[in-house]
Amino acid sequence: MKISFVLLQLISGPIFLLAFVRSDPDPLQDYCVASAENPPNFYGNGVPCINPDQAIASHFATSALSTPGNTHNEFGFSTSLTNPNNLRGLNTLGLAMARLDIAPDALLPLHSHPRASEVTILLKGSLFAGFVDASNHLFTRQLRPGDCFVFPKGLIHYLYNMDKEEAALAISGFSSQNPGLQISSSASFTSNPGIPDEVLEKTFKIHGPDVAKIRRSLGG
């Protein structure tokens, strides 16, 4: 009897934990249009909803991805993301979309999305896409217009526009309404407060002057 109870605990434990590793919780109703009047001190895992009887078609449409982004920055890319503010009907549906503008010979640098997998479709130009798995294996693909590439949740990846003259345009879909974005270099060298120099030196096998130089180049 005691052995059976122990086995039940061993089996039920992982099953119980699996219930909490999904990207976003399943909605409990057809839709939950985000309220535009969020209380200033409200903190929750999502956005409050309006009365479903007040939902209208415009809540489920947006032009947020129609305008080219400003790529005049240190990496030469811009991302425009749908969210419950610019697409209120998106709330609780567990998905998001982004417009990616990448200047010639520029890139969306090594980064990850802690809460979502991503699928990218290239609309214009060419992109060299890649991600690294937990075994440090690199998967890459040269993308042409119409090609898609999938980036698994939480893995470091990049999109590089190798064309010296033409900008690239892509659209990405995410498995969370709030996928998160963490650029690896910025997280390492421009965090606030900063990671101790000694940690960075030992992690990247570099010296103090290198840490200072990289911080300055990233605006840290």
Side-chain angles (χ1 to χ4, degrees), residues 173-189:
F174 298 93
S175 62
S176 170
Q177 76 176 49
N178 185 21
L181 170 66
Q182 188 170 49
I183 296 177
S184 304
S185 55
S186 298
S188 298
F189 290 93

Side-chain angles (χ1 to χ4, degrees), residues 53-132:
D53 293 337
Q54 298 174 351
I56 56 177
S58 61
H59 290 150
F60 302 92
T62 183
S63 299
L65 306 186
S66 64
T67 304
N70 182 5
T71 58
H72 297 293
N73 54 61
E74 56 189 341
F75 293 115
F77 79 92
S78 173
T79 60
S80 302
L81 185 70
T82 60
N83 56 57
N85 293 321
N86 58 35
L87 185 54
R88 293 167 61 187
L90 183 77
N91 191 37
T92 76
L93 297 185
L95 53 87
M97 295 186 69
R99 175 185 175 128
L100 312 176
D101 292 282
I102 304 179
D105 193 29
L107 82 164
L108 183 48
L110 293 171
H111 66 283
S112 62
H113 304 289
R115 293 180 290 275
S117 296
E118 174 183 5
V119 58
T120 298
I121 179 170
L122 181 63
L123 301 182
K124 177 184 175 184
S126 63
L127 286 174
F128 185 59
F131 71 86
V132 180

Side-chain angles (χ1 to χ4, degrees), residues 103-106 125-126 160-167:
D105 193 29
S126 63
Y160 177 28
N161 182 6
M162 301 175 68
D163 194 300
K164 306 295 183 183
E165 298 181 358
E166 184 179 8

